[in-house]
Amino acid sequence: MSNYHVEPAGKPQALSKEAVKALRKEQVQGLSRRQVLRGSLAGGMLLWLSEVSAGTIGFIWPNLRSGFGAPITIGTLDDVKAQNSTLPIAEGFPAYYADARSFVVLVDPGTQQFLPGEDETGNGSALNVRALYQRCPHLGCKPNPCLKNFWLECPCHGSRYDRLGIKVAGAAYGPAPRGMDRFAITVDGKGALTINTSKITLGPLPVALGQPGLIPPKSPTGCI
């Protein structure tokens, strides 16, 4: 038997110019390259729009619900004392407010009130109150105020700050590169404090123990 096969004349082995034209007129089976490309572009655009929408909502949502990232009203010094009745707030001990992620501290305990005004820098000296961001500038742990020495001490790596958030210089006092960051604050005519948690100012450089600008500890030993 011969291995020779005769191809029908209407079905040539080689794709001649006429055969290619005929194939182009036929319905494409499955997805064409053009359809795949269009679908990929549409999917990518939809994903991008979703990310932009989610980011926008995430940015404005705190302001819509008055949560962190928006101004949060704390109240007067008397309100702070009443809400932290077991702590020596009147002596300048920091009071913690979880909603604002802040430590509220009286700058000068000799003046037992918050003074009206606005401070965008977060220094707070003119308003007699400072709002410190709860995050340690080293790796973001939450420092805790210590009743023994009135300092703030980070339990993660031992960075220590005075009660106003000034970092103590020296390797023995932890690796944080600066003092605790501050929020912009406003005190109205009635003495009520509002913390603008959307505006943060980086803390100042460390100060050596015994130098002006650092409040010495009330006790030589701390809590960690």
Side-chain angles (χ1 to χ4, degrees), residues 21-110:
K21 288 182 178 180
L23 289 174
R24 286 178 178 171
K25 294 179 181 179
E26 292 182 3
Q27 183 68 30
V28 177
Q29 300 297 319
L31 293 176
S32 68
R33 184 183 302 176
R34 182 174 298 176
Q35 289 174 318
V36 172
L37 181 60
R38 287 177 177 174
S40 299
L41 290 175
M45 183 64 70
L46 181 61
L47 179 61
W48 178 77
L49 289 174
S50 299
E51 291 177 349
V52 171
S53 301
T56 303
I57 293 173
F59 180 77
I60 67 174
W61 180 252
N63 291 277
L64 295 176
R65 66 182 183 88
S66 300
F68 184 78
I72 298 176
T73 299
I74 301 300
T76 65
L77 179 58
D78 289 337
D79 294 330
V80 176
K81 291 178 183 177
Q83 294 164 7
N84 300 271
S85 58
T86 60
L87 299 175
I89 303 299
E91 300 175 35
F93 192 77
Y96 180 64
Y97 285 86
D99 290 345
R101 302 180 192 175
S102 307
F103 291 103
V104 173
V105 56
L106 197 61
V107 175
D108 179 14

Side-chain angles (χ1 to χ4, degrees), residues 13-218:
Q13 283 187 324
L15 288 178
S16 62
K17 183 166 58 176
E18 290 75 11
V20 171
K21 288 182 178 180
L23 289 174
R24 286 178 178 171
K25 294 179 181 179
E26 292 182 3
Q27 183 68 30
V28 177
Q29 300 297 319
L31 293 176
S32 68
R33 184 183 302 176
R34 182 174 298 176
Q35 289 174 318
V36 172
L37 181 60
R38 287 177 177 174
S40 299
L41 290 175
M45 183 64 70
L46 181 61
L47 179 61
W48 178 77
L49 289 174
S50 299
E51 291 177 349
V52 171
S53 301
T56 303
I57 293 173
F59 180 77
I60 67 174
W61 180 252
N63 291 277
L64 295 176
R65 66 182 183 88
S66 300
F68 184 78
I72 298 176
T73 299
I74 301 300
T76 65
L77 179 58
D78 289 337
D79 294 330
V80 176
K81 291 178 183 177
Q83 294 164 7
N84 300 271
S85 58
T86 60
L87 299 175
I89 303 299
E91 300 175 35
F93 192 77
Y96 180 64
Y97 285 86
D99 290 345
R101 302 180 192 175
S102 307
F103 291 103
V104 173
V105 56
L106 197 61
V107 175
D108 179 14
T111 304
Q112 288 291 305
Q113 61 177 333
F114 298 154
L115 303 176
E118 183 175 2
D119 189 343
E120 292 289 321
T121 69
N123 178 277
S125 296
L127 281 59
N128 201 36
V129 60
R130 183 174 295 173
L132 303 171
Y133 190 15
Q134 69 172 20
R135 295 180 72 254
C136 177
H138 179 223
L139 290 178
C141 295
K142 177 177 171 289
N144 298 312
C146 177
L147 274 171
K148 289 183 181 179
N149 57 18
F150 272 46
W151 277 12
L152 291 141
E153 304 176 339
C154 181
C156 293
H157 303 97
S159 293
R160 290 173 169 84
Y161 312 85
D162 71 7
R163 65 180 187 84
L164 293 179
I166 306 299
K167 169 69 171 57
V168 189
Y173 297 99
R178 64 179 187 273
M180 295 175 67
D181 301 333
R182 301 102 173 260
F183 289 112
I185 55 175
T186 302
V187 177
D188 65 18
K190 297 180 180 180
L193 169 68
T194 296
I195 302 173
N196 189 344
T197 57
S198 68
K199 295 184 178 180
I200 302 175
T201 299
L202 298 183
L205 293 175
V207 176
L209 188 63
Q211 295 298 312
L214 184 74
I215 301 173
K218 288 183 174 291

